[in-house]
Amino acid sequence: MADKGGRPRGPDWAGIVVDDRSKVERVADALAAKIESDSMAPGSFLGTKTQLRQQLSVSPATLDMALRVLVDRGLVTVRPGVKGGVRVAEPDTSALHLGRARWRLTGSEVDAERAGQGLAIYFALQPLIVATAAHALTDVDHTKLTDIRDQLHASVGDPQAYFTVHRTVHDALLEATHDEVLISTVQTATAVADAGTGGPEPPQGEDVAAYTAERVAVHVDIVEAVLRGDVRAAWLRLRDHGVTQHDIAADSALLPQGFLDLQRFWREVTG
């Protein structure tokens, strides 16, 4: 089927159900759910931006931000121009997409699968880490995290500096739990992930300054919530960190079964 301009029409979007999260999140998740429920193959045409705006009754700005979320997840591609539109993306099998960053896979398929499992455990334990740290914080931990917060601010616009201090943040939060079993478990998961990946990197096509500014803001908020003992606030920002980020088709073979259920659990916990 084609519209009056001769362009192909996308699928029927009737019956999409969205929840009470932000409008951008609702639109992004509705589009992702449509792709999944219809088992849409890579390259499938979802519609032009105009068609999608009309079908979903959203503003151009809301749709653009929702599509950016889906591009970052590796779910869609957006092509401008008369013959352009939004299509289901080809899975990037060379990377894991967890959170706003992605991890470049290296080594064998076995190493890649182990890396995915390590990252899934690492992400799943972040809520426990910040909750434990918030209650176990010492004066030494407080001083260290305050200094790291300042390092985060200084890393805006410099992805190499950001990813270095990003690791420092999470190491310091883990140490602040003073829980030997938790520390050992997370360090093992991290080592497994590191062995199969080249480390995190910004999403393709991302504006570096905007990307690092956004990620710095998320981590600063998490650190400050832990410093004042506000576990709920830390959990709310962990949603933006990536704890509840949907995986994509390329990740499905690399992540342990049940990971998405855990993501939904944390989304419900933080409301």
Side-chain angles (χ1 to χ4, degrees):
M1 295 287 293
D3 63 15
K4 293 180 179 179
R7 294 171 295 191
R9 291 186 182 276
D12 181 6
W13 296 95
I16 288 179
V17 177
V18 294
D19 57 28
D20 60 354
R21 283 166 293 149
S22 76
K23 197 160 190 178
V24 170
E25 288 179 311
R26 285 185 285 142
V27 173
D29 285 349
L31 289 167
K34 181 69 173 179
I35 292 169
E36 181 178 358
S37 65
D38 286 10
S39 300
M40 300 179 73
S44 296
F45 184 70
L46 301 179
T48 64
K49 284 188 176 183
T50 299
Q51 290 168 350
L52 291 176
R53 286 198 298 267
Q54 292 171 347
Q55 290 277 3
L56 300 172
S57 300
V58 296
S59 69
T62 296
L63 181 65
D64 286 344
M65 287 188 286
L67 290 177
R68 180 177 175 180
V69 169
L70 295 180
V71 169
D72 287 344
R73 292 182 190 175
L75 285 177
V76 304
T77 60
V78 181
R79 181 179 176 183
V82 177
K83 296 184 178 180
V86 183
R87 295 184 181 273
V88 178
E90 294 282 349
D92 181 1
T93 57
S94 64
L96 271 166
H97 298 72
L98 290 174
R100 286 279 284 109
R102 64 178 185 172
W103 279 257
R104 177 63 53 193
L105 298 175
T106 60
S108 68
E109 291 183 6
V110 173
D111 292 333
E113 184 173 357
R114 283 170 53 83
Q117 292 169 347
L119 279 171
I121 293 170
Y122 169 84
F123 269 89
L125 289 176
Q126 292 305 310
L128 177 60
I129 291 169
V130 298
T132 306
H135 292 298
L137 209 63
T138 67
D139 289 342
V140 172
D141 298 325
H142 194 286
T143 299
K144 181 184 291 186
L145 286 170
T146 300
D147 179 63
I148 291 171
R149 180 192 59 192
D150 295 339
Q151 294 177 41
L152 276 167
H153 283 301
S155 71
V156 173
D158 184 343
Q160 184 174 357
Y162 163 69
F163 283 122
T164 297
V165 71
H166 167 270
R167 174 60 66 88
T168 304
V169 170
H170 286 286
D171 287 347
L173 288 170
L174 180 60
E175 291 172 7
T177 67
H178 302 282
D179 184 324
E180 293 183 4
V181 174
L182 180 58
I183 291 171
S184 176
T185 300
V186 175
Q187 287 178 339
T188 299
T190 302
V192 169
D194 287 346
T197 70
E201 58 187 36
Q204 287 181 322
E206 189 81 16
D207 178 88
V208 170
Y211 172 80
T212 54
E214 178 198 28
R215 304 317 296 159
V216 163
V218 169
H219 287 82
V220 165
D221 287 350
I222 291 170
V223 169
E224 291 183 341
V226 170
L227 287 173
R228 64 178 183 269
D230 190 339
V231 175
R232 179 175 175 77
W235 281 354
L236 286 170
R237 282 307 256 163
L238 278 175
R239 294 192 310 179
D240 302 318
H241 177 274
V243 170
T244 60
Q245 183 75 290
H246 293 295
D247 68 352
I248 61 168
D251 296 341
S252 60
L254 305 176
L255 296 172
Q257 190 173 17
F259 181 61
L260 290 180
D261 289 336
L262 186 63
Q263 292 179 327
R264 285 194 291 269
F265 167 75
W266 281 113
R267 188 180 294 250
E268 291 170 5
V269 165
T270 55

